[in-house]
Amino acid sequence: MRAVAYKTPQPISAETSLVDVELPMPEAKGHDLLVEIRAISVNPVDVKVRAHSAPPADELKVLGWDAAGIVKAIGAEVTLFEPGDEVFYSGIISRPGSNAEFHLVDERIVGTKPKSLDFAAAAALPLTSITAYEALFDRLKVQDAVSGAARSILIIGGAGGVGSIAIQIARALTDLIVIATASRPETQDWVKELGAHHVVDHSKPIAPQVAALGIGAPGFIFSTTNTDSHIGDIVEAIAPQGRFALIDDPKTLDIVPFKRKAVSVHWELMFTRPLYGTPDMIEQHKLLNKVSELVDAGKVRTTLSEIVGPINAANLKKAHAMVESGKMKGKAVLAGF
């Protein structure tokens, strides 16, 4: 089968940073589905792994943690899907990725593809949807109010992949006032279209802008990017006893200033459940199905912003470079081989 892989971590501009390869066809066993890939999208995790993670000597590493496709075969223990089902999912970081014609994935982290979306539009959603959903409901527990705080959430990096879906899920499933950050006119318009009640500019001090809205200190803050640059504003803006979640990888993160406000700090990593095979791993299957229902009901839209082309090394390089630029609005998708 055709796939895109690499042997050595390199800058994306390098000729062999990603290459087209032929690999053996995988076989579905246990809880695995064998999925014929129709579309994939690129996330920051793809870029980070490609740039820093070396596979064992002389081995190829296939990236890709977002996919939409059709189930072609199932393992003996599969109960949730059948061959022919259309699915979407984000896989697991410890297994070969979805940048291939066929891919193995555990059924318990797979959802039924929204019927109203084509494969490209669906492929933009899984990783960011799981991340946003888990951050909101499993980490921040936004369903539980913070005493004395404004019933609001500040989402830093609202125009990115995770921010774009977090805004929509918060609007669809909660009564929160959603404040999103964006710094350019086109990204500010984007987050407004997605449902943000208020938009503030993260290229300027955030806390004074939030205070100027006059709605009170938010009980929840969700930072998707550049957390270390905004930590002072986060400490200042959040309500006492508030809850703060982040997903990026600051080189340093001093949380001591949160102590005075008794703020709880939560890290979200959507790979944790499948990596450790937690007893509640199937919650990712359930939440993806919930997102699929919200899409088909018209309450959540795809965050696809650009289809780069068919799945090959040249187009994946373009998509990686787009993500590395830090100026992405929504998600870049590749469709077909």
Side-chain angles (χ1 to χ4, degrees):
M1 67 172 183
R2 288 172 290 180
V4 180
Y6 74 96
K7 281 189 175 182
T8 306
Q10 300 176 80
I12 196 60
S13 57
E15 183 179 353
T16 56
S17 59
L18 292 169
V19 294
D20 294 307
V21 298
E22 288 285 336
L23 296 175
M25 176 73 76
E27 180 184 354
K29 298 179 181 179
H31 282 282
D32 277 345
L33 311 176
L34 178 66
V35 178
E36 181 182 2
I37 300 298
R38 294 297 181 88
I40 58 99
S41 70
V42 177
N43 295 280
V45 64
D46 298 72
V47 169
K48 292 175 185 176
V49 173
R50 188 214 76 242
H52 302 292
S53 179
D58 297 324
E59 290 189 17
L60 292 165
K61 188 174 185 66
V62 178
L63 302 172
W65 293 284
D66 256 339
I70 299 174
V71 177
K72 303 306 287 186
I74 60 175
E77 297 176 44
V78 169
T79 61
L80 301 174
F81 297 96
E82 297 178 351
D85 288 346
E86 296 183 351
V87 296
F88 73 147
Y89 59 90
S90 61
I92 178 173
I93 200 167
S94 59
R95 300 184 71 177
S98 59
N99 295 347
E101 282 188 278
F102 294 90
H103 184 230
L104 292 177
V105 62
D106 191 299
E107 64 171 338
R108 292 166 290 187
I109 57 172
V110 175
T112 299
K113 182 183 78 67
K115 294 180 175 61
S116 58
L117 296 183
D118 62 18
F119 289 102
L125 289 172
L127 186 146
T128 53
S129 294
I130 296 170
T131 301
Y133 199 106
E134 289 186 346
L136 291 172
F137 297 106
D138 296 331
R139 314 298 170 233
L140 292 174
K141 297 189 182 300
V142 297
Q143 62 272 30
D144 299 332
V146 174
S147 178
R151 188 78 181 128
S152 64
I153 184 169
L154 170 64
I155 300 172
I156 297 174
V162 173
S164 293
I165 196 69
I167 291 168
Q168 297 186 75
I169 291 176
R171 285 301 310 269
L173 298 179
T174 79
D175 61 352
L176 293 169
I177 297 172
V178 177
I179 309 163
T181 79
S183 60
R184 292 174 285 139
E186 60 268 31
T187 53
Q188 291 173 349
D189 289 343
W190 171 256
V191 298
K192 290 176 184 175
E193 290 174 17
L194 295 175
H197 294 96
H198 303 283
V199 183
V200 299
D201 185 348
H202 54 237
S203 69
K204 302 173 182 177
I206 294 173
Q209 297 177 74
V210 172
L213 296 175
I215 60 176
F220 311 101
I221 296 182
F222 180 26
S223 179
T224 70
T225 185
N226 294 316
T227 298
D228 46 357
S229 299
H230 302 302
I231 195 70
D233 276 307
I234 294 167
V235 171
E236 182 180 346
I238 199 166
Q241 301 187 92
R243 298 192 279 277
F244 166 56
L246 70 157
I247 60 171
D248 59 331
D249 302 301
K251 291 183 179 179
T252 60
L253 184 67
D254 182 8
I255 65 171
V256 172
F258 285 117
K259 181 178 180 180
R260 184 175 178 84
K261 288 186 173 180
V263 168
S264 59
V265 179
H266 307 264
W267 230 297
E268 160 58 19
L269 180 66
M270 52 76 58
F271 291 126
T272 296
R273 278 170 161 152
L275 269 174
Y276 291 94
T278 60
D280 64 348
M281 188 168 80
I282 199 168
E283 291 301 316
Q284 292 195 347
H285 163 72
K286 295 176 182 177
L287 75 83
L288 281 174
N289 281 349
K290 179 65 174 179
V291 170
S292 186
E293 293 170 4
L294 291 171
V295 171
D296 287 339
K299 295 181 178 180
V300 167
R301 58 186 260 194
T302 181
T303 54
L304 164 65
S305 59
E306 184 171 348
I307 298 178
V308 181
I311 302 168
N312 58 42
N315 287 329
L316 266 172
K317 286 183 180 181
K318 293 177 185 177
H320 276 237
M322 292 166 65
V323 173
E324 285 183 347
S325 75
K327 297 181 179 179
M328 277 292 298
K329 181 184 74 174
K331 297 290 291 292
V333 169
L334 286 76
F337 274 87

